[in-house]
């Protein structure tokens, strides 16, 4: 049975209600001072299909910073400009059970970061971007993939992250000492902090997820924004590593390639050109949005979106 817009809207509304009911379990991130100012009651979702269908509920149009969701776009940009061989000579492709900002795994397990979705991997990914102005290239890519030319940097969050990012500095200088990181750590970190501080909405993320699900093609223009081979790499890593050290449990419960950020966002994609974006700044102990996770789980169940589900969306 084909799923029409009314069925999608009903599923989103039910999911949003259930998401609201679990917000008490989370806490707004406060280790970056500017993030602590977020309205903890915010929760929104947007689902977008390549045929132009858009369904929304709640705070889907409130801007927030991408944070770790930017890692997926940084990886796309690095693969586009430096190529597969260079990027994955410096970064692995394996999930890790450690925290996203772990230093321990660099010392005890491997000289390379395990994957591009943890901070160490994303810092190395940033160093691989081969353009004259890496941040401007990133911003141009984000605007294109999100279908929003007004996407911009949040200067306050950027300065807050740069001022308090001592752990990421430790990671960068350790990587430099092990000859994994090329270039000057402070310059690379400046780009990394800027990328994390770019503002998006749940609707922007739904558009991004839809482009990924459509093999990198913008259905509105027919333009290939990302090579399909790069999309496959990025989406696979999102499935394996996109939800920090909760990725396995999330894959079982939700079953969608996804990426979260401590700004409260989650981007996900399903088959046949479906993208989903959520926003809810209250996070669980793993750093994932409690309301957003619940929304994704309910929507996946109601619409049969799990990657191993036999239903057809």
């Amino acid at each position: 049975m084909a799923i029409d817009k009314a069925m999608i809207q009903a599923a989103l509304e039910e999911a949003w209600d259930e998401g609201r009911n679990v917000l008490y379990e989370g806490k707004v991130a406060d280790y970056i001072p500017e993030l602590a100012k977020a309205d903890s009651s915010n929760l929104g979702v947007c689902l977008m299909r390549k045929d132009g269908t858009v369904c929304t509920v709640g705070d889907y149009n409130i801007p927030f910073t991408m944070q770790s969701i930017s890692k997926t776009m940084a990886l796309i940009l690095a693969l586009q400009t430096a190529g597969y061989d260079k990027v994955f000579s410096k970064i692995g492709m394996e999930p890790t059970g450690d925290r996203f900002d772990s230093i321990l795994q660099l010392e005890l397990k491997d000289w390379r970061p395990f994957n591009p979705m943890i901070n160490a991997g994303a810092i190395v990914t940033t160093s691989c971007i081969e353009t004259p102005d890496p941040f401007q290239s990133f911003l141009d890519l984000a605007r294109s993939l999100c279908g929003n030319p007004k996407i911009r940097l949040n200067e306050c969050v950027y300065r807050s992250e740069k001022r308090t990012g001592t752990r990421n500095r430790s990671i960068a200088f350790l990587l430099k000492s092990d000859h994994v990181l090329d270039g000057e750590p402070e310059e690379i970190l400046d780009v990394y902090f800027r990328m994390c501080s770019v503002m998006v909405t749940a609707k922007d993320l739904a558009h991004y997820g839809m482009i990924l699900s459509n093999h990198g093609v913008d259905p509105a223009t027919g333009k290939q924004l990302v090579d399909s081979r790069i999309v496959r790499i990025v989406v696979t890593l999102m499935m394996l590593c996109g939800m920090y050290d909760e990725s396995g449990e999330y894959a079982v419960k939700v079953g969608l390639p996804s990426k979260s950020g401590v700004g409260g966002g989650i981007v996900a994609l399903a088959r046949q050109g479906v993208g989903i974006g959520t926003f809810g700044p209250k996070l669980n102990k793993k750093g994932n949005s409690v309301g957003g996770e619940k929304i994704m789980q309910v929507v996946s169940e109601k619409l049969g979106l799990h990657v191993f589900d036999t239903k057809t969306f």
Side-chain angles (χ1 to χ4, degrees):
M1 181 181 66
I3 298 177
D4 60 22
K5 185 173 182 179
M7 296 170 67
I8 297 170
Q9 186 66 35
L12 291 191
E13 289 175 5
E14 181 176 343
W16 185 82
D17 282 337
E18 293 202 31
R20 295 280 298 171
N21 290 336
V22 300
L23 291 185
Y24 72 93
E25 298 175 5
K27 180 183 177 184
V28 173
D30 57 8
Y31 67 94
I32 299 170
E34 281 296 315
L35 296 186
K37 298 178 182 179
D39 185 341
S40 62
S41 67
N42 285 156
L43 186 65
V45 57
C46 175
L47 185 148
M48 194 175 295
R49 295 204 293 195
K50 66 179 180 180
D51 65 2
T53 301
V54 179
C55 296
T56 61
V57 183
D59 302 311
Y60 70 92
N61 221 20
I62 289 180
F64 56 93
T65 53
M66 296 177 75
Q67 300 300 327
S68 285
I69 295 170
S70 68
K71 293 170 181 174
T72 61
M73 294 185 187
L75 179 58
I76 289 172
L77 191 55
L79 289 170
Q80 285 178 334
T81 60
Y84 177 95
D85 290 341
K86 178 174 180 179
V87 171
F88 289 109
S89 70
K90 295 179 172 292
I91 312 165
M93 302 181 190
E94 301 301 327
T96 170
D98 298 319
R99 280 178 50 86
F100 62 90
D101 58 355
S102 173
I103 294 177
L104 182 67
Q105 62 107 350
L106 294 175
E107 277 288 271
L108 299 182
K109 296 180 181 177
D110 193 356
W111 60 273
R112 299 183 305 171
F114 267 37
N115 63 71
M117 301 300 156
I118 56 175
N119 289 16
I123 291 168
V124 176
T125 299
T126 302
S127 75
C128 291
I129 297 171
E130 295 181 355
T131 67
D133 187 341
F135 176 68
Q136 186 60 51
S137 298
F138 174 87
L139 194 58
D140 292 341
L141 180 66
R143 289 168 173 169
S144 174
L145 292 174
C146 293
N148 183 356
K150 296 182 179 179
I151 285 175
R152 61 178 180 81
L153 173 71
N154 184 318
E155 285 280 351
C156 292
V157 174
Y158 155 64
R159 295 186 186 284
S160 182
E161 292 208 30
K162 188 169 184 176
R163 186 174 64 252
T164 60
T166 52
R167 191 170 185 85
N168 283 321
R169 282 190 176 82
S170 299
I171 291 171
F173 279 97
L174 181 58
L175 290 165
K176 180 70 173 179
S177 71
D178 286 337
H179 308 291
V180 180
L181 194 67
D182 296 328
E184 292 302 317
E186 287 293 349
E187 293 178 7
I188 295 164
L189 285 168
D190 186 73
V191 177
Y192 174 75
F193 292 140
R194 287 177 184 272
M195 293 191 302
C196 289
S197 304
V198 167
M199 302 284 281
V200 292
T201 66
K203 186 177 181 181
D204 294 332
L205 294 182
H207 189 279
Y208 175 36
M210 180 270 291
I211 296 293
L212 293 178
S213 179
N214 200 39
H215 313 292
V217 176
D218 185 344
T221 64
K223 185 177 180 181
Q224 187 87 44
L225 301 180
V226 185
D227 187 280
S228 60
R229 292 167 295 182
I230 292 177
V231 171
R232 184 172 64 180
I233 293 166
V234 173
V235 169
T236 301
L237 288 167
M238 288 169 67
M239 190 71 178
L240 293 172
C241 321
M243 302 298 288
Y244 304 131
D245 47 329
E246 194 179 13
S247 295
E249 181 179 349
Y250 180 90
V252 170
K253 291 180 177 180
V254 179
L256 298 175
S258 304
K259 185 70 194 85
S260 62
V262 295
I266 302 176
V267 59
L269 59 140
R271 291 162 290 183
Q272 300 178 349
V274 176
I276 309 171
T278 63
F279 168 56
K282 278 199 165 184
L283 312 178
N284 63 18
K285 292 181 180 179
K286 303 291 187 179
N288 297 319
S289 169
V290 291
E293 277 198 351
K294 175 58 72 173
I295 287 173
M296 291 292 188
Q297 183 178 351
V298 175
V299 169
S300 179
E301 290 173 355
K302 293 293 179 183
L303 300 179
L305 301 183
H306 194 292
V307 68
F308 295 120
D309 202 307
T310 57
K311 297 178 184 177
T312 300
F313 184 68

PDB file of all heavy atoms in Angstrom, residues 107-133:
ATOM      1  N   GLU A 107      45.833   6.456  21.690  1.00  0.00           N
ATOM      2  CA  GLU A 107      47.052   6.005  22.348  1.00  0.00           C
ATOM      3  C   GLU A 107      47.178   4.485  22.391  1.00  0.00           C
ATOM      4  O   GLU A 107      48.257   3.942  22.204  1.00  0.00           O
ATOM      5  CB  GLU A 107      47.086   6.548  23.787  1.00  0.00           C
ATOM      6  CG  GLU A 107      47.600   7.969  23.899  1.00  0.00           C
ATOM      7  CD  GLU A 107      49.093   8.048  23.665  1.00  0.00           C
ATOM      8  OE1 GLU A 107      49.858   7.908  24.625  1.00  0.00           O
ATOM      9  OE2 GLU A 107      49.494   8.224  22.499  1.00  0.00           O
ATOM     10  N   LEU A 108      46.060   3.795  22.640  1.00  0.00           N
ATOM     11  CA  LEU A 108      46.135   2.371  22.944  1.00  0.00           C
ATOM     12  C   LEU A 108      45.761   1.443  21.793  1.00  0.00           C
ATOM     13  O   LEU A 108      46.156   0.290  21.794  1.00  0.00           O
ATOM     14  CB  LEU A 108      45.233   2.055  24.144  1.00  0.00           C
ATOM     15  CG  LEU A 108      45.577   2.767  25.450  1.00  0.00           C
ATOM     16  CD1 LEU A 108      44.632   2.322  26.554  1.00  0.00           C
ATOM     17  CD2 LEU A 108      47.021   2.489  25.849  1.00  0.00           C
ATOM     18  N   LYS A 109      44.986   1.944  20.816  1.00  0.00           N
ATOM     19  CA  LYS A 109      44.422   1.027  19.832  1.00  0.00           C
ATOM     20  C   LYS A 109      45.039   1.166  18.449  1.00  0.00           C
ATOM     21  O   LYS A 109      45.333   0.190  17.782  1.00  0.00           O
ATOM     22  CB  LYS A 109      42.903   1.222  19.752  1.00  0.00           C
ATOM     23  CG  LYS A 109      42.192   0.866  21.051  1.00  0.00           C
ATOM     24  CD  LYS A 109      40.689   1.083  20.938  1.00  0.00           C
ATOM     25  CE  LYS A 109      39.989   0.746  22.250  1.00  0.00           C
ATOM     26  NZ  LYS A 109      38.543   1.023  22.177  1.00  0.00           N
ATOM     27  N   ASP A 110      45.205   2.357  17.975  1.00  0.00           N
ATOM     28  CA  ASP A 110      45.625   2.549  16.599  1.00  0.00           C
ATOM     29  C   ASP A 110      46.143   3.964  16.456  1.00  0.00           C
ATOM     30  O   ASP A 110      45.673   4.879  17.122  1.00  0.00           O
ATOM     31  CB  ASP A 110      44.427   2.336  15.657  1.00  0.00           C
ATOM     32  CG  ASP A 110      44.828   2.213  14.190  1.00  0.00           C
ATOM     33  OD1 ASP A 110      46.025   2.376  13.890  1.00  0.00           O
ATOM     34  OD2 ASP A 110      43.954   1.956  13.359  1.00  0.00           O
ATOM     35  N   TRP A 111      47.093   4.174  15.570  1.00  0.00           N
ATOM     36  CA  TRP A 111      47.611   5.525  15.362  1.00  0.00           C
ATOM     37  C   TRP A 111      46.656   6.385  14.559  1.00  0.00           C
ATOM     38  O   TRP A 111      46.756   7.602  14.566  1.00  0.00           O
ATOM     39  CB  TRP A 111      48.975   5.467  14.695  1.00  0.00           C
ATOM     40  CG  TRP A 111      48.974   4.788  13.357  1.00  0.00           C
ATOM     41  CD1 TRP A 111      49.117   3.452  13.126  1.00  0.00           C
ATOM     42  CD2 TRP A 111      48.815   5.394  12.081  1.00  0.00           C
ATOM     43  NE1 TRP A 111      49.055   3.188  11.784  1.00  0.00           N
ATOM     44  CE2 TRP A 111      48.876   4.360  11.113  1.00  0.00           C
ATOM     45  CE3 TRP A 111      48.632   6.709  11.656  1.00  0.00           C
ATOM     46  CZ2 TRP A 111      48.752   4.613   9.751  1.00  0.00           C
ATOM     47  CZ3 TRP A 111      48.508   6.960  10.295  1.00  0.00           C
ATOM     48  CH2 TRP A 111      48.577   5.912   9.362  1.00  0.00           C
ATOM     49  N   ARG A 112      45.724   5.760  13.852  1.00  0.00           N
ATOM     50  CA  ARG A 112      44.717   6.518  13.106  1.00  0.00           C
ATOM     51  C   ARG A 112      43.424   6.601  13.902  1.00  0.00           C
ATOM     52  O   ARG A 112      43.078   5.667  14.623  1.00  0.00           O
ATOM     53  CB  ARG A 112      44.387   5.825  11.778  1.00  0.00           C
ATOM     54  CG  ARG A 112      45.526   5.664  10.818  1.00  0.00           C
ATOM     55  CD  ARG A 112      45.016   5.028   9.525  1.00  0.00           C
ATOM     56  NE  ARG A 112      44.327   3.772   9.769  1.00  0.00           N
ATOM     57  CZ  ARG A 112      43.638   3.101   8.838  1.00  0.00           C
ATOM     58  NH1 ARG A 112      43.530   3.597   7.618  1.00  0.00           N
ATOM     59  NH2 ARG A 112      43.041   1.964   9.136  1.00  0.00           N
ATOM     60  N   PRO A 113      42.664   7.675  13.754  1.00  0.00           N
ATOM     61  CA  PRO A 113      41.304   7.696  14.311  1.00  0.00           C
ATOM     62  C   PRO A 113      40.481   6.567  13.694  1.00  0.00           C
ATOM     63  O   PRO A 113      40.636   6.240  12.514  1.00  0.00           O
ATOM     64  CB  PRO A 113      40.772   9.069  13.881  1.00  0.00           C
ATOM     65  CG  PRO A 113      41.980   9.899  13.628  1.00  0.00           C
ATOM     66  CD  PRO A 113      43.020   8.963  13.113  1.00  0.00           C
ATOM     67  N   PHE A 114      39.592   5.980  14.470  1.00  0.00           N
ATOM     68  CA  PHE A 114      38.834   4.824  14.013  1.00  0.00           C
ATOM     69  C   PHE A 114      37.912   5.143  12.835  1.00  0.00           C
ATOM     70  O   PHE A 114      37.717   4.326  11.959  1.00  0.00           O
ATOM     71  CB  PHE A 114      38.005   4.263  15.169  1.00  0.00           C
ATOM     72  CG  PHE A 114      38.700   3.163  15.932  1.00  0.00           C
ATOM     73  CD1 PHE A 114      40.069   3.204  16.150  1.00  0.00           C
ATOM     74  CD2 PHE A 114      37.985   2.078  16.412  1.00  0.00           C
ATOM     75  CE1 PHE A 114      40.712   2.199  16.848  1.00  0.00           C
ATOM     76  CE2 PHE A 114      38.624   1.053  17.113  1.00  0.00           C
ATOM     77  CZ  PHE A 114      39.992   1.117  17.334  1.00  0.00           C
ATOM     78  N   ASN A 115      37.284   6.326  12.832  1.00  0.00           N
ATOM     79  CA  ASN A 115      36.347   6.658  11.763  1.00  0.00           C
ATOM     80  C   ASN A 115      36.162   8.178  11.700  1.00  0.00           C
ATOM     81  O   ASN A 115      36.545   8.890  12.628  1.00  0.00           O
ATOM     82  CB  ASN A 115      35.004   5.936  11.960  1.00  0.00           C
ATOM     83  CG  ASN A 115      34.298   6.355  13.227  1.00  0.00           C
ATOM     84  OD1 ASN A 115      33.799   7.479  13.323  1.00  0.00           O
ATOM     85  ND2 ASN A 115      34.242   5.470  14.215  1.00  0.00           N
ATOM     86  N   PRO A 116      35.558   8.691  10.624  1.00  0.00           N
ATOM     87  CA  PRO A 116      35.421  10.150  10.473  1.00  0.00           C
ATOM     88  C   PRO A 116      34.311  10.764  11.308  1.00  0.00           C
ATOM     89  O   PRO A 116      34.141  11.987  11.258  1.00  0.00           O
ATOM     90  CB  PRO A 116      35.100  10.314   8.975  1.00  0.00           C
ATOM     91  CG  PRO A 116      35.366   8.996   8.334  1.00  0.00           C
ATOM     92  CD  PRO A 116      35.167   7.974   9.393  1.00  0.00           C
ATOM     93  N   MET A 117      33.548   9.955  12.045  1.00  0.00           N
ATOM     94  CA  MET A 117      32.400  10.466  12.788  1.00  0.00           C
ATOM     95  C   MET A 117      32.720  10.778  14.250  1.00  0.00           C
ATOM     96  O   MET A 117      31.862  11.249  14.982  1.00  0.00           O
ATOM     97  CB  MET A 117      31.232   9.482  12.705  1.00  0.00           C
ATOM     98  CG  MET A 117      30.773   9.192  11.287  1.00  0.00           C
ATOM     99  SD  MET A 117      30.204  10.667  10.414  1.00  0.00           S
ATOM    100  CE  MET A 117      30.443  10.182   8.704  1.00  0.00           C
ATOM    101  N   ILE A 118      33.933  10.477  14.680  1.00  0.00           N
ATOM    102  CA  ILE A 118      34.376  10.904  16.005  1.00  0.00           C
ATOM    103  C   ILE A 118      35.229  12.162  15.838  1.00  0.00           C
ATOM    104  O   ILE A 118      35.689  12.486  14.744  1.00  0.00           O
ATOM    105  CB  ILE A 118      35.162   9.800  16.735  1.00  0.00           C
ATOM    106  CG1 ILE A 118      36.364   9.331  15.888  1.00  0.00           C
ATOM    107  CG2 ILE A 118      34.251   8.628  17.085  1.00  0.00           C
ATOM    108  CD1 ILE A 118      37.251   8.321  16.592  1.00  0.00           C
ATOM    109  N   ASN A 119      35.466  12.866  16.927  1.00  0.00           N
ATOM    110  CA  ASN A 119      36.161  14.153  16.820  1.00  0.00           C
ATOM    111  C   ASN A 119      37.546  14.024  16.204  1.00  0.00           C
ATOM    112  O   ASN A 119      37.930  14.820  15.348  1.00  0.00           O
ATOM    113  CB  ASN A 119      36.262  14.810  18.196  1.00  0.00           C
ATOM    114  CG  ASN A 119      34.928  15.304  18.704  1.00  0.00           C
ATOM    115  OD1 ASN A 119      33.872  14.922  18.202  1.00  0.00           O
ATOM    116  ND2 ASN A 119      34.953  16.148  19.716  1.00  0.00           N
ATOM    117  N   ALA A 120      38.302  13.016  16.634  1.00  0.00           N
ATOM    118  CA  ALA A 120      39.649  12.839  16.096  1.00  0.00           C
ATOM    119  C   ALA A 120      39.606  12.626  14.592  1.00  0.00           C
ATOM    120  O   ALA A 120      40.391  13.215  13.836  1.00  0.00           O
ATOM    121  CB  ALA A 120      40.334  11.663  16.784  1.00  0.00           C
ATOM    122  N   GLY A 121      38.682  11.783  14.148  1.00  0.00           N
ATOM    123  CA  GLY A 121      38.554  11.522  12.722  1.00  0.00           C
ATOM    124  C   GLY A 121      38.124  12.750  11.949  1.00  0.00           C
ATOM    125  O   GLY A 121      38.611  13.020  10.843  1.00  0.00           O
ATOM    126  N   ALA A 122      37.206  13.524  12.525  1.00  0.00           N
ATOM    127  CA  ALA A 122      36.716  14.721  11.842  1.00  0.00           C
ATOM    128  C   ALA A 122      37.785  15.798  11.739  1.00  0.00           C
ATOM    129  O   ALA A 122      37.846  16.543  10.754  1.00  0.00           O
ATOM    130  CB  ALA A 122      35.491  15.267  12.560  1.00  0.00           C
ATOM    131  N   ILE A 123      38.650  15.888  12.743  1.00  0.00           N
ATOM    132  CA  ILE A 123      39.742  16.853  12.686  1.00  0.00           C
ATOM    133  C   ILE A 123      40.713  16.479  11.565  1.00  0.00           C
ATOM    134  O   ILE A 123      41.164  17.340  10.804  1.00  0.00           O
ATOM    135  CB  ILE A 123      40.449  16.942  14.057  1.00  0.00           C
ATOM    136  CG1 ILE A 123      39.515  17.601  15.083  1.00  0.00           C
ATOM    137  CG2 ILE A 123      41.756  17.714  13.953  1.00  0.00           C
ATOM    138  CD1 ILE A 123      39.975  17.481  16.527  1.00  0.00           C
ATOM    139  N   VAL A 124      41.007  15.190  11.440  1.00  0.00           N
ATOM    140  CA  VAL A 124      41.866  14.746  10.333  1.00  0.00           C
ATOM    141  C   VAL A 124      41.158  14.958   8.998  1.00  0.00           C
ATOM    142  O   VAL A 124      41.772  15.389   8.018  1.00  0.00           O
ATOM    143  CB  VAL A 124      42.270  13.276  10.522  1.00  0.00           C
ATOM    144  CG1 VAL A 124      43.088  12.798   9.317  1.00  0.00           C
ATOM    145  CG2 VAL A 124      43.084  13.090  11.790  1.00  0.00           C
ATOM    146  N   THR A 125      39.855  14.656   8.936  1.00  0.00           N
ATOM    147  CA  THR A 125      39.086  14.899   7.716  1.00  0.00           C
ATOM    148  C   THR A 125      39.205  16.351   7.289  1.00  0.00           C
ATOM    149  O   THR A 125      39.420  16.658   6.107  1.00  0.00           O
ATOM    150  CB  THR A 125      37.601  14.555   7.934  1.00  0.00           C
ATOM    151  OG1 THR A 125      37.466  13.177   8.277  1.00  0.00           O
ATOM    152  CG2 THR A 125      36.791  14.823   6.683  1.00  0.00           C
ATOM    153  N   THR A 126      39.071  17.254   8.248  1.00  0.00           N
ATOM    154  CA  THR A 126      39.173  18.690   7.961  1.00  0.00           C
ATOM    155  C   THR A 126      40.531  19.023   7.344  1.00  0.00           C
ATOM    156  O   THR A 126      40.618  19.820   6.404  1.00  0.00           O
ATOM    157  CB  THR A 126      38.961  19.498   9.247  1.00  0.00           C
ATOM    158  OG1 THR A 126      37.674  19.180   9.799  1.00  0.00           O
ATOM    159  CG2 THR A 126      39.035  20.991   8.983  1.00  0.00           C
ATOM    160  N   SER A 127      41.580  18.391   7.854  1.00  0.00           N
ATOM    161  CA  SER A 127      42.926  18.661   7.335  1.00  0.00           C
ATOM    162  C   SER A 127      43.110  18.159   5.908  1.00  0.00           C
ATOM    163  O   SER A 127      44.036  18.589   5.217  1.00  0.00           O
ATOM    164  CB  SER A 127      43.978  18.011   8.244  1.00  0.00           C
ATOM    165  OG  SER A 127      44.033  16.605   8.055  1.00  0.00           O
ATOM    166  N   CYS A 128      42.236  17.257   5.464  1.00  0.00           N
ATOM    167  CA  CYS A 128      42.345  16.684   4.119  1.00  0.00           C
ATOM    168  C   CYS A 128      41.635  17.520   3.051  1.00  0.00           C
ATOM    169  O   CYS A 128      41.788  17.237   1.854  1.00  0.00           O
ATOM    170  CB  CYS A 128      41.768  15.269   4.102  1.00  0.00           C
ATOM    171  SG  CYS A 128      42.738  14.046   5.015  1.00  0.00           S
ATOM    172  N   ILE A 129      40.835  18.492   3.458  1.00  0.00           N
ATOM    173  CA  ILE A 129      40.090  19.299   2.478  1.00  0.00           C
ATOM    174  C   ILE A 129      41.076  20.166   1.687  1.00  0.00           C
ATOM    175  O   ILE A 129      41.809  20.970   2.260  1.00  0.00           O
ATOM    176  CB  ILE A 129      39.041  20.178   3.177  1.00  0.00           C
ATOM    177  CG1 ILE A 129      37.997  19.296   3.880  1.00  0.00           C
ATOM    178  CG2 ILE A 129      38.360  21.108   2.173  1.00  0.00           C
ATOM    179  CD1 ILE A 129      37.037  20.058   4.774  1.00  0.00           C
ATOM    180  N   GLU A 130      41.098  19.975   0.384  1.00  0.00           N
ATOM    181  CA  GLU A 130      42.075  20.655  -0.461  1.00  0.00           C
ATOM    182  C   GLU A 130      41.398  21.733  -1.310  1.00  0.00           C
ATOM    183  O   GLU A 130      41.145  21.556  -2.501  1.00  0.00           O
ATOM    184  CB  GLU A 130      42.803  19.640  -1.344  1.00  0.00           C
ATOM    185  CG  GLU A 130      43.647  18.652  -0.550  1.00  0.00           C
ATOM    186  CD  GLU A 130      44.391  17.662  -1.424  1.00  0.00           C
ATOM    187  OE1 GLU A 130      44.183  17.687  -2.664  1.00  0.00           O
ATOM    188  OE2 GLU A 130      45.164  16.862  -0.872  1.00  0.00           O
ATOM    189  N   THR A 131      41.075  22.846  -0.673  1.00  0.00           N
ATOM    190  CA  THR A 131      40.554  24.018  -1.382  1.00  0.00           C
ATOM    191  C   THR A 131      41.235  25.251  -0.795  1.00  0.00           C
ATOM    192  O   THR A 131      41.737  25.206   0.340  1.00  0.00           O
ATOM    193  CB  THR A 131      39.023  24.165  -1.221  1.00  0.00           C
ATOM    194  OG1 THR A 131      38.716  24.473   0.143  1.00  0.00           O
ATOM    195  CG2 THR A 131      38.293  22.891  -1.630  1.00  0.00           C
ATOM    196  N   PRO A 132      41.261  26.370  -1.526  1.00  0.00           N
ATOM    197  CA  PRO A 132      41.909  27.575  -1.004  1.00  0.00           C
ATOM    198  C   PRO A 132      41.288  28.090   0.291  1.00  0.00           C
ATOM    199  O   PRO A 132      41.984  28.642   1.146  1.00  0.00           O
ATOM    200  CB  PRO A 132      41.731  28.586  -2.146  1.00  0.00           C
ATOM    201  CG  PRO A 132      41.572  27.754  -3.376  1.00  0.00           C
ATOM    202  CD  PRO A 132      40.832  26.526  -2.934  1.00  0.00           C
ATOM    203  N   ASP A 133      39.968  27.922   0.439  1.00  0.00           N
ATOM    204  CA  ASP A 133      39.265  28.383   1.633  1.00  0.00           C
ATOM    205  C   ASP A 133      38.336  27.260   2.090  1.00  0.00           C
ATOM    206  O   ASP A 133      37.169  27.203   1.688  1.00  0.00           O
ATOM    207  CB  ASP A 133      38.469  29.652   1.324  1.00  0.00           C
ATOM    208  CG  ASP A 133      37.842  30.279   2.561  1.00  0.00           C
ATOM    209  OD1 ASP A 133      37.708  29.584   3.591  1.00  0.00           O
ATOM    210  OD2 ASP A 133      37.478  31.472   2.504  1.00  0.00           O
TER     211      ASP A 133
END
